[in-house]
Amino acid sequence: MSYKFDTVKVRGGYNSRQHNYSVGIPVYATAAFDFDGFDHFNSLRAGERLGFLYSRVGNPTVAALEARVAQLDGGSAAVAFASGMAAVSNTLLAVSGGNGRILSTKQIYGGTFDLENDVFPSIGVNFDFIDHDSSIEEWQATIKEDTKAIFVESISNPSARLLDIEALAEIAHKHQIPLIVDNTFATPYLFRPLEHGADIVIYSATKALNGHGNAIGGVVVEGKPFDWTEEKYPQLFKKYWVARDLDNNPRSFIEAFPQLPFAAFLRTKYLAYFGAALSPYDAQLILIGIETLSERVSKQVRNARKIVEYLDSRSDAVSWISYPEHKDSPYKALADKYFPDGAGTVFTFGFKGNDEQINKLIDSIRLFGFQANVGDARSLLINSPKTTHGELNPEELEAAKIRPETIRLSIGLEDADDLIADLEQAFAQALEI
Ligand SMILES: Cc1ncc(COP(=O)(O)O)c(C=O)c1O
């Protein structure tokens, strides 16, 4: 039976009958699982029977999270990781197979950019960075012979820039490469990239999926199987002993797991060996968070809209606002098309103050937190160029279009009037007006 989003978010991926009728999803605090004899072990190992061997590779609490997120996104399978960065880095490594190139943009999370720009080239995988606002023809022209994937954020960090995901998916598929979308800021409540042609979706579950700032985690969702080619992705076609069948015949991941080859490969070769496994304790916290995803995000969107309206009225303190629904936003048409329920709860504005006054603004806030997280139930504010994007040098910040006066807001569940009052008093103190 296929249930609607709000039913899946509280029920998906878990059947109490399989867990001693426990209503709350239990934390399976165990490293390993007993095998009920050799045949049991062998059928688990060969993937012939569902079950668990060792918590670095799979755990029932973590599996409930994986199944729930996969269902929310309309995917065929998901793999959880210990952080959003582990989800991003392992996915990009697995798709590259350790060589070739990936097409991305500089207007993304600073940690991801530094990973792509500095770390990946040191291990033989290169990135081509295109300006986020390039035309689709320019994106297409940047795809090279050995490009293995396009990687983008559906709502970019920090400035909430949008992309035409359907057009990007079309050119990716024309070149027989997958489109990978980091959907952290949107969450599957506001946007489901697989429904618009993307092939793989990544989350930092630390953010709005969890929503309470009390766990670090990441999830990768595979959509309906992409049409992988052996020439470009030999890693999925190679026969591995580790994927052998019950009769010990080595198999490829395409052969052994035709409905979810990428997720199975990612789990077996990357999650298992690089070892960034999500703790079941954190998985439980994220699962509890997801139960209120729609209620939280819809109110946070309403609050964000009120705050944008307030900022709009403060031309004495605010030089620009980068929120996709804003009347001046170049992304307004994309917001209308792809984000009917709201274009997120995180956005930036330009503060009309010098460096010292920006510091004063940050020091003056009382209700907003000053912290490097987003999607939390509590609102927070940060000056991105020095913090969340502090990995970028001044030239890189300019290329990423993150101006020095940028303030990023993540809007929470408080009363919007109190948030506005906090901004008001902080503006007054910082600008002495
Ligand atoms: C869009 C995006 N992707 C990935 C990450 C990394 O997630 P985590 O902090 O869970 O490793 C972040 C963190 O800020 C992010 O904003």
Side-chain angles (χ1 to χ4, degrees), residues 82-88 108-112 151 153 155-157 182-185 202-207 215-218 372-374 388-389 408:
S83 67
M85 282 318 298
V88 170
I108 50 174
Y109 169 54
T112 305
F151 173 76
E153 292 175 354
I155 302 181
S156 79
N157 184 352
D182 180 332
N183 198 40
T184 298
F185 276 23
I202 298 180
Y203 292 100
S204 163
T206 315
K207 308 293 191 288
I216 296 268
N373 194 16
V374 295
T388 59
H389 288 69
R408 186 185 75 184

mmCIF file of all heavy atoms in Angstrom, residues 82-88 108-112 151 153 155-157 182-185 202-207 215-218 372-374 388-389 408, ligand 1:
data_model
loop_
_atom_site.group_PDB
_atom_site.id
_atom_site.type_symbol
_atom_site.label_atom_id
_atom_site.label_comp_id
_atom_site.label_asym_id
_atom_site.label_seq_id
_atom_site.Cartn_x
_atom_site.Cartn_y
_atom_site.Cartn_z
ATOM 1 N N ALA A 82 27.591 8.560 8.880
ATOM 2 C CA ALA A 82 27.801 9.225 10.164
ATOM 3 C C ALA A 82 27.665 10.739 10.087
ATOM 4 O O ALA A 82 27.583 11.410 11.121
ATOM 5 C CB ALA A 82 29.179 8.861 10.708
ATOM 6 N N SER A 83 27.659 11.306 8.886
ATOM 7 C CA SER A 83 27.492 12.755 8.740
ATOM 8 C C SER A 83 27.089 13.050 7.306
ATOM 9 O O SER A 83 27.228 12.183 6.420
ATOM 10 C CB SER A 83 28.803 13.499 9.056
ATOM 11 O OG SER A 83 29.776 13.189 8.067
ATOM 12 N N GLY A 84 26.655 14.270 7.082
ATOM 13 C CA GLY A 84 26.355 14.682 5.711
ATOM 14 C C GLY A 84 27.623 14.653 4.864
ATOM 15 O O GLY A 84 27.597 14.252 3.699
ATOM 16 N N MET A 85 28.755 15.079 5.432
ATOM 17 C CA MET A 85 30.002 15.070 4.668
ATOM 18 C C MET A 85 30.408 13.656 4.287
ATOM 19 O O MET A 85 30.945 13.429 3.199
ATOM 20 C CB MET A 85 31.137 15.754 5.453
ATOM 21 C CG MET A 85 31.098 17.270 5.441
ATOM 22 S SD MET A 85 30.684 18.041 3.854
ATOM 23 C CE MET A 85 32.012 17.516 2.795
ATOM 24 N N ALA A 86 30.179 12.697 5.177
ATOM 25 C CA ALA A 86 30.504 11.298 4.841
ATOM 26 C C ALA A 86 29.603 10.840 3.700
ATOM 27 O O ALA A 86 30.048 10.120 2.797
ATOM 28 C CB ALA A 86 30.323 10.400 6.067
ATOM 29 N N ALA A 87 28.343 11.276 3.708
ATOM 30 C CA ALA A 87 27.419 10.905 2.625
ATOM 31 C C ALA A 87 27.897 11.501 1.304
ATOM 32 O O ALA A 87 27.944 10.821 0.274
ATOM 33 C CB ALA A 87 26.004 11.385 2.960
ATOM 34 N N VAL A 88 28.292 12.781 1.336
ATOM 35 C CA VAL A 88 28.763 13.449 0.113
ATOM 36 C C VAL A 88 30.063 12.798 -0.378
ATOM 37 O O VAL A 88 30.181 12.400 -1.545
ATOM 38 C CB VAL A 88 29.007 14.966 0.372
ATOM 39 C CG1 VAL A 88 29.719 15.616 -0.807
ATOM 40 C CG2 VAL A 88 27.690 15.679 0.660
ATOM 41 N N ILE A 108 28.219 26.338 -3.369
ATOM 42 C CA ILE A 108 27.733 25.235 -2.534
ATOM 43 C C ILE A 108 28.321 25.372 -1.128
ATOM 44 O O ILE A 108 29.103 26.287 -0.881
ATOM 45 C CB ILE A 108 28.131 23.852 -3.117
ATOM 46 C CG1 ILE A 108 29.621 23.836 -3.429
ATOM 47 C CG2 ILE A 108 27.305 23.494 -4.323
ATOM 48 C CD1 ILE A 108 30.135 22.476 -3.871
ATOM 49 N N TYR A 109 27.971 24.434 -0.254
ATOM 50 C CA TYR A 109 28.501 24.433 1.116
ATOM 51 C C TYR A 109 30.038 24.475 1.080
ATOM 52 O O TYR A 109 30.671 23.746 0.301
ATOM 53 C CB TYR A 109 27.990 23.177 1.840
ATOM 54 C CG TYR A 109 28.674 22.932 3.151
ATOM 55 C CD1 TYR A 109 28.719 23.926 4.136
ATOM 56 C CD2 TYR A 109 29.297 21.721 3.417
ATOM 57 C CE1 TYR A 109 29.371 23.706 5.328
ATOM 58 C CE2 TYR A 109 29.942 21.496 4.613
ATOM 59 C CZ TYR A 109 29.983 22.497 5.564
ATOM 60 O OH TYR A 109 30.638 22.285 6.750
ATOM 61 N N GLY A 110 30.642 25.326 1.924
ATOM 62 C CA GLY A 110 32.092 25.542 1.906
ATOM 63 C C GLY A 110 32.900 24.270 2.120
ATOM 64 O O GLY A 110 33.941 24.058 1.485
ATOM 65 N N GLY A 111 32.438 23.404 3.018
ATOM 66 C CA GLY A 111 33.161 22.149 3.287
ATOM 67 C C GLY A 111 33.152 21.263 2.048
ATOM 68 O O GLY A 111 34.173 20.655 1.684
ATOM 69 N N THR A 112 32.016 21.206 1.358
ATOM 70 C CA THR A 112 31.923 20.395 0.139
ATOM 71 C C THR A 112 32.833 20.969 -0.943
ATOM 72 O O THR A 112 33.538 20.230 -1.641
ATOM 73 C CB THR A 112 30.465 20.353 -0.367
ATOM 74 O OG1 THR A 112 29.628 19.888 0.683
ATOM 75 C CG2 THR A 112 30.321 19.430 -1.556
ATOM 76 N N PHE A 151 27.036 17.203 -9.837
ATOM 77 C CA PHE A 151 26.677 17.297 -8.412
ATOM 78 C C PHE A 151 26.298 18.735 -8.072
ATOM 79 O O PHE A 151 27.098 19.656 -8.285
ATOM 80 C CB PHE A 151 27.855 16.849 -7.535
ATOM 81 C CG PHE A 151 27.605 17.094 -6.072
ATOM 82 C CD1 PHE A 151 26.748 16.263 -5.363
ATOM 83 C CD2 PHE A 151 28.184 18.162 -5.404
ATOM 84 C CE1 PHE A 151 26.475 16.490 -4.014
ATOM 85 C CE2 PHE A 151 27.929 18.393 -4.054
ATOM 86 C CZ PHE A 151 27.075 17.560 -3.365
ATOM 87 N N GLU A 153 23.537 21.411 -5.366
ATOM 88 C CA GLU A 153 22.605 21.538 -4.230
ATOM 89 C C GLU A 153 21.283 22.097 -4.756
ATOM 90 O O GLU A 153 21.287 23.054 -5.537
ATOM 91 C CB GLU A 153 23.189 22.488 -3.170
ATOM 92 C CG GLU A 153 24.409 21.906 -2.477
ATOM 93 C CD GLU A 153 25.104 22.853 -1.493
ATOM 94 O OE1 GLU A 153 24.720 24.050 -1.410
ATOM 95 O OE2 GLU A 153 26.038 22.404 -0.806
ATOM 96 N N ILE A 155 18.873 23.698 -3.105
ATOM 97 C CA ILE A 155 18.850 25.083 -2.597
ATOM 98 C C ILE A 155 20.255 25.292 -2.054
ATOM 99 O O ILE A 155 20.681 24.582 -1.142
ATOM 100 C CB ILE A 155 17.835 25.277 -1.445
ATOM 101 C CG1 ILE A 155 16.423 24.901 -1.892
ATOM 102 C CG2 ILE A 155 17.875 26.706 -0.933
ATOM 103 C CD1 ILE A 155 15.357 25.090 -0.798
ATOM 104 N N SER A 156 20.992 26.231 -2.633
ATOM 105 C CA SER A 156 22.421 26.290 -2.309
ATOM 106 C C SER A 156 22.688 26.923 -0.943
ATOM 107 O O SER A 156 21.945 27.779 -0.470
ATOM 108 C CB SER A 156 23.161 27.056 -3.400
ATOM 109 O OG SER A 156 22.972 28.450 -3.218
ATOM 110 N N ASN A 157 23.777 26.484 -0.352
ATOM 111 C CA ASN A 157 24.267 27.034 0.910
ATOM 112 C C ASN A 157 25.353 28.049 0.560
ATOM 113 O O ASN A 157 26.310 27.680 -0.117
ATOM 114 C CB ASN A 157 24.856 25.874 1.745
ATOM 115 C CG ASN A 157 25.297 26.329 3.120
ATOM 116 O OD1 ASN A 157 25.317 27.508 3.427
ATOM 117 N ND2 ASN A 157 25.666 25.368 3.957
ATOM 118 N N ASP A 182 22.309 17.358 -3.653
ATOM 119 C CA ASP A 182 22.299 17.537 -2.198
ATOM 120 C C ASP A 182 21.028 18.329 -1.884
ATOM 121 O O ASP A 182 20.923 19.515 -2.224
ATOM 122 C CB ASP A 182 23.574 18.289 -1.768
ATOM 123 C CG ASP A 182 23.635 18.511 -0.259
ATOM 124 O OD1 ASP A 182 22.573 18.597 0.384
ATOM 125 O OD2 ASP A 182 24.752 18.625 0.278
ATOM 126 N N ASN A 183 20.074 17.663 -1.245
ATOM 127 C CA ASN A 183 18.746 18.252 -1.011
ATOM 128 C C ASN A 183 18.569 18.650 0.455
ATOM 129 O O ASN A 183 17.460 18.706 0.969
ATOM 130 C CB ASN A 183 17.695 17.206 -1.425
ATOM 131 C CG ASN A 183 16.318 17.799 -1.663
ATOM 132 O OD1 ASN A 183 16.192 18.873 -2.235
ATOM 133 N ND2 ASN A 183 15.292 17.097 -1.212
ATOM 134 N N THR A 184 19.694 18.917 1.126
ATOM 135 C CA THR A 184 19.678 19.176 2.569
ATOM 136 C C THR A 184 18.757 20.329 2.953
ATOM 137 O O THR A 184 17.940 20.203 3.868
ATOM 138 C CB THR A 184 21.112 19.489 3.047
ATOM 139 O OG1 THR A 184 21.929 18.347 2.796
ATOM 140 C CG2 THR A 184 21.150 19.842 4.518
ATOM 141 N N PHE A 185 18.898 21.475 2.273
ATOM 142 C CA PHE A 185 18.138 22.661 2.686
ATOM 143 C C PHE A 185 16.640 22.487 2.400
ATOM 144 O O PHE A 185 15.809 23.045 3.082
ATOM 145 C CB PHE A 185 18.645 23.917 1.950
ATOM 146 C CG PHE A 185 19.843 24.565 2.604
ATOM 147 C CD1 PHE A 185 20.688 23.857 3.427
ATOM 148 C CD2 PHE A 185 20.132 25.912 2.381
ATOM 149 C CE1 PHE A 185 21.797 24.451 4.026
ATOM 150 C CE2 PHE A 185 21.223 26.529 2.975
ATOM 151 C CZ PHE A 185 22.063 25.792 3.794
ATOM 152 N N ILE A 202 21.210 13.357 -1.762
ATOM 153 C CA ILE A 202 22.031 13.301 -0.542
ATOM 154 C C ILE A 202 21.470 14.278 0.489
ATOM 155 O O ILE A 202 21.027 15.369 0.139
ATOM 156 C CB ILE A 202 23.492 13.695 -0.870
ATOM 157 C CG1 ILE A 202 24.085 12.700 -1.867
ATOM 158 C CG2 ILE A 202 24.342 13.761 0.407
ATOM 159 C CD1 ILE A 202 25.518 12.994 -2.255
ATOM 160 N N TYR A 203 21.517 13.844 1.751
ATOM 161 C CA TYR A 203 21.115 14.737 2.846
ATOM 162 C C TYR A 203 22.186 14.817 3.919
ATOM 163 O O TYR A 203 22.763 13.791 4.279
ATOM 164 C CB TYR A 203 19.845 14.224 3.559
ATOM 165 C CG TYR A 203 18.643 14.303 2.683
ATOM 166 C CD1 TYR A 203 18.181 13.174 2.023
ATOM 167 C CD2 TYR A 203 17.993 15.507 2.487
ATOM 168 C CE1 TYR A 203 17.088 13.250 1.185
ATOM 169 C CE2 TYR A 203 16.894 15.595 1.648
ATOM 170 C CZ TYR A 203 16.451 14.463 1.001
ATOM 171 O OH TYR A 203 15.384 14.550 0.165
ATOM 172 N N SER A 204 22.387 16.024 4.438
ATOM 173 C CA SER A 204 22.935 16.120 5.773
ATOM 174 C C SER A 204 21.702 16.001 6.668
ATOM 175 O O SER A 204 20.887 16.933 6.748
ATOM 176 C CB SER A 204 23.632 17.469 6.001
ATOM 177 O OG SER A 204 23.786 17.644 7.403
ATOM 178 N N ALA A 205 21.545 14.844 7.337
ATOM 179 C CA ALA A 205 20.383 14.629 8.207
ATOM 180 C C ALA A 205 20.520 15.416 9.502
ATOM 181 O O ALA A 205 19.585 15.518 10.296
ATOM 182 C CB ALA A 205 20.224 13.135 8.496
ATOM 183 N N THR A 206 21.709 15.971 9.705
ATOM 184 C CA THR A 206 21.986 16.848 10.850
ATOM 185 C C THR A 206 21.049 18.055 10.847
ATOM 186 O O THR A 206 20.750 18.620 11.897
ATOM 187 C CB THR A 206 23.432 17.386 10.706
ATOM 188 O OG1 THR A 206 24.302 16.313 10.344
ATOM 189 C CG2 THR A 206 23.909 18.068 11.957
ATOM 190 N N LYS A 207 20.621 18.442 9.653
ATOM 191 C CA LYS A 207 19.905 19.700 9.484
ATOM 192 C C LYS A 207 18.399 19.483 9.690
ATOM 193 O O LYS A 207 18.009 18.910 10.687
ATOM 194 C CB LYS A 207 20.244 20.279 8.112
ATOM 195 C CG LYS A 207 21.768 20.369 7.848
ATOM 196 C CD LYS A 207 22.412 21.381 8.758
ATOM 197 C CE LYS A 207 23.843 21.735 8.420
ATOM 198 N NZ LYS A 207 24.834 20.715 8.688
ATOM 199 N N ALA A 215 21.923 15.650 16.689
ATOM 200 C CA ALA A 215 22.582 14.485 16.093
ATOM 201 C C ALA A 215 23.255 14.896 14.793
ATOM 202 O O ALA A 215 22.832 15.858 14.143
ATOM 203 C CB ALA A 215 21.566 13.377 15.805
ATOM 204 N N ILE A 216 24.304 14.173 14.439
ATOM 205 C CA ILE A 216 24.988 14.379 13.151
ATOM 206 C C ILE A 216 24.724 13.128 12.316
ATOM 207 O O ILE A 216 24.861 12.007 12.832
ATOM 208 C CB ILE A 216 26.512 14.532 13.375
ATOM 209 C CG1 ILE A 216 26.841 15.781 14.203
ATOM 210 C CG2 ILE A 216 27.268 14.523 12.052
ATOM 211 C CD1 ILE A 216 27.121 17.033 13.440
ATOM 212 N N GLY A 217 24.347 13.310 11.066
ATOM 213 C CA GLY A 217 24.113 12.134 10.221
ATOM 214 C C GLY A 217 23.951 12.532 8.762
ATOM 215 O O GLY A 217 23.802 13.715 8.434
ATOM 216 N N GLY A 218 23.991 11.539 7.900
ATOM 217 C CA GLY A 218 23.800 11.780 6.467
ATOM 218 C C GLY A 218 23.069 10.607 5.841
ATOM 219 O O GLY A 218 23.120 9.491 6.370
ATOM 220 N N ALA A 372 26.933 27.388 13.591
ATOM 221 C CA ALA A 372 27.105 26.878 12.223
ATOM 222 C C ALA A 372 26.227 25.657 11.990
ATOM 223 O O ALA A 372 26.711 24.565 11.752
ATOM 224 C CB ALA A 372 28.564 26.522 11.992
ATOM 225 N N ASN A 373 24.929 25.835 12.101
ATOM 226 C CA ASN A 373 24.020 24.754 11.758
ATOM 227 C C ASN A 373 22.845 25.399 11.020
ATOM 228 O O ASN A 373 22.739 26.630 10.988
ATOM 229 C CB ASN A 373 23.550 24.034 13.031
ATOM 230 C CG ASN A 373 22.881 22.705 12.720
ATOM 231 O OD1 ASN A 373 23.010 22.154 11.624
ATOM 232 N ND2 ASN A 373 22.131 22.181 13.677
ATOM 233 N N VAL A 374 22.004 24.608 10.432
ATOM 234 C CA VAL A 374 20.759 25.145 9.858
ATOM 235 C C VAL A 374 19.652 24.123 10.066
ATOM 236 O O VAL A 374 19.915 22.975 10.435
ATOM 237 C CB VAL A 374 20.861 25.447 8.339
ATOM 238 C CG1 VAL A 374 21.832 26.552 8.032
ATOM 239 C CG2 VAL A 374 21.193 24.194 7.549
ATOM 240 N N THR A 388 30.846 29.419 8.049
ATOM 241 C CA THR A 388 30.463 28.204 7.305
ATOM 242 C C THR A 388 31.236 28.097 5.998
ATOM 243 O O THR A 388 31.371 27.015 5.440
ATOM 244 C CB THR A 388 28.959 28.215 6.947
ATOM 245 O OG1 THR A 388 28.673 29.369 6.157
ATOM 246 C CG2 THR A 388 28.113 28.217 8.195
ATOM 247 N N HIS A 389 31.709 29.214 5.470
ATOM 248 C CA HIS A 389 32.485 29.210 4.230
ATOM 249 C C HIS A 389 33.893 29.750 4.494
ATOM 250 O O HIS A 389 34.559 30.273 3.602
ATOM 251 C CB HIS A 389 31.752 29.996 3.130
ATOM 252 C CG HIS A 389 30.546 29.253 2.636
ATOM 253 N ND1 HIS A 389 29.431 29.062 3.419
ATOM 254 C CD2 HIS A 389 30.293 28.602 1.471
ATOM 255 C CE1 HIS A 389 28.539 28.341 2.751
ATOM 256 N NE2 HIS A 389 29.033 28.051 1.568
ATOM 257 N N ARG A 408 23.734 34.926 7.052
ATOM 258 C CA ARG A 408 22.815 33.816 6.735
ATOM 259 C C ARG A 408 21.879 33.573 7.917
ATOM 260 O O ARG A 408 22.331 33.490 9.067
ATOM 261 C CB ARG A 408 23.609 32.537 6.452
ATOM 262 C CG ARG A 408 22.712 31.399 5.973
ATOM 263 C CD ARG A 408 23.466 30.098 5.818
ATOM 264 N NE ARG A 408 23.750 29.506 7.116
ATOM 265 C CZ ARG A 408 24.473 28.402 7.291
ATOM 266 N NH1 ARG A 408 25.000 27.784 6.257
ATOM 267 N NH2 ARG A 408 24.684 27.913 8.495
HETATM 268 C C1 LIG B 1 24.176 21.567 2.011
HETATM 269 C C2 LIG B 1 25.044 20.805 2.960
HETATM 270 N N1 LIG B 1 25.470 19.572 2.626
HETATM 271 C C3 LIG B 1 26.258 18.850 3.471
HETATM 272 C C4 LIG B 1 26.660 19.355 4.684
HETATM 273 C C5 LIG B 1 27.503 18.526 5.588
HETATM 274 O O1 LIG B 1 26.708 17.956 6.581
HETATM 275 P P1 LIG B 1 27.236 17.482 8.022
HETATM 276 O O2 LIG B 1 27.536 18.719 8.799
HETATM 277 O O3 LIG B 1 26.112 16.680 8.554
HETATM 278 O O4 LIG B 1 28.461 16.667 7.777
HETATM 279 C C6 LIG B 1 26.232 20.626 5.067
HETATM 280 C C7 LIG B 1 26.655 21.180 6.368
HETATM 281 O O5 LIG B 1 26.500 22.337 6.652
HETATM 282 C C8 LIG B 1 25.405 21.369 4.183
HETATM 283 O O6 LIG B 1 24.966 22.591 4.506
#
